[in-house]
Amino acid sequence: LTVVKDTGILGVDATSGCLGADDGAGLWLLLQMIAAKIPGHYIFHREEEIGRKGSMYRAKCFPKRLKRHKMAIAFDRRGTTSIITHQMGVRTCSDAFAESLAAAIGMKHFKDTTGSYTDTASYARLIDECTNVSIGYQREHSVNETLDTMYLLALRDKMVTFDEDSIVISRDHNAVPEYKTYTSTRTYYGGHYTGNEEYGDGDAGYGYGYHYKPQKEKSTQSLS
């Protein structure tokens, strides 16, 4: 392991494997909160990286246990500023919840609609507010992965004094799913397409993939 001097950025050298801050940093934070006796229901899932298999099994087999809770917070997002409101293009937590959580943490996080998925997505039909909070890693799943340890320690200090009484619960998990539609630019096979990208129903509204509707190109372009 290597640490960039005076920055607290932790990484690995070129001959090493992936750092493992995704998902290790989030696991460490939960263990710190448990040690500090912060009230909560702590779940450590298996196989999140290969399709949320552990959390999907739990949602299927133990829904009543999950429905007792109003919020599910994962610490599995890259960067240092995000509180995820949408996963796979579907809203999983309200703006009011994200804003109140950001205020409670007090580290200048902001609402982020660009989440892919983490285990809390599996609970979005059972729990009102399901989110994912930045845990400090970058360039995950590669030898170039890094972890901002100064951010992680600061977040730990905030979470071990966390008070959930100020958090606003606004989303209803029984409501019709709210999908995100936006215009994006993507590259396919060397060609440059611009069009509307919409996330569809997928796996019961919280699934995999999207369908892409490219606009007509103004000129013929080679994709070879």
Side-chain angles (χ1 to χ4, degrees), residues 136-181:
Y137 66 76
Q138 297 282 5
R139 294 179 292 279
E140 64 276 14
H141 305 168
S142 75
V143 296
N144 297 314
E145 185 182 19
T146 60
L147 175 65
D148 187 335
T149 60
M150 294 179 68
Y151 165 82
L152 180 59
L153 290 170
L155 182 61
R156 185 273 311 272
D157 292 344
K158 294 290 185 179
M159 295 310 301
V160 297
T161 59
F162 181 71
D163 181 6
E164 67 178 65
D165 291 341
S166 62
I167 304 301
V168 176
I169 306 297
S170 178
R171 177 179 173 270
D172 180 358
H173 68 272
N174 290 310
V176 176
E178 179 184 335
Y179 299 98
K180 172 185 170 184
T181 301

Side-chain angles (χ1 to χ4, degrees), residues 4 21 64 70 76 80 82 95 106-107 127 159 192 205 218 224:
V4 180
K64 290 183 179 180
K70 289 294 185 181
D76 192 34
T80 60
S82 295
D95 288 351
M107 291 179 62
I127 298 175
M159 295 310 301
H192 191 67
K218 293 183 179 179
S224 59

Side-chain angles (χ1 to χ4, degrees), residues 64-139:
K64 290 183 179 180
R65 296 183 186 180
L66 293 166
K67 286 182 177 180
R68 295 181 298 183
H69 304 287
K70 289 294 185 181
M71 68 179 84
I73 303 173
F75 295 94
D76 192 34
R77 176 66 174 178
R78 72 174 64 88
T80 60
T81 58
S82 295
I83 294 181
I84 293 298
T85 58
H86 293 67
Q87 300 188 52
M88 293 301 287
V90 183
R91 180 178 291 280
T92 60
C93 90
S94 65
D95 288 351
F97 175 85
E99 291 166 356
S100 63
L101 179 59
I105 295 174
M107 291 179 62
K108 298 182 180 180
H109 292 85
F110 61 84
K111 297 176 295 184
D112 186 347
T113 66
T114 65
S116 53
Y117 70 75
T118 192
D119 283 312
T120 53
S122 301
Y123 301 152
R125 290 286 181 89
L126 301 170
I127 298 175
D128 291 334
E129 304 285 7
C130 298
T131 191
N132 190 12
V133 177
S134 286
I135 196 63
Y137 66 76
Q138 297 282 5
R139 294 179 292 279

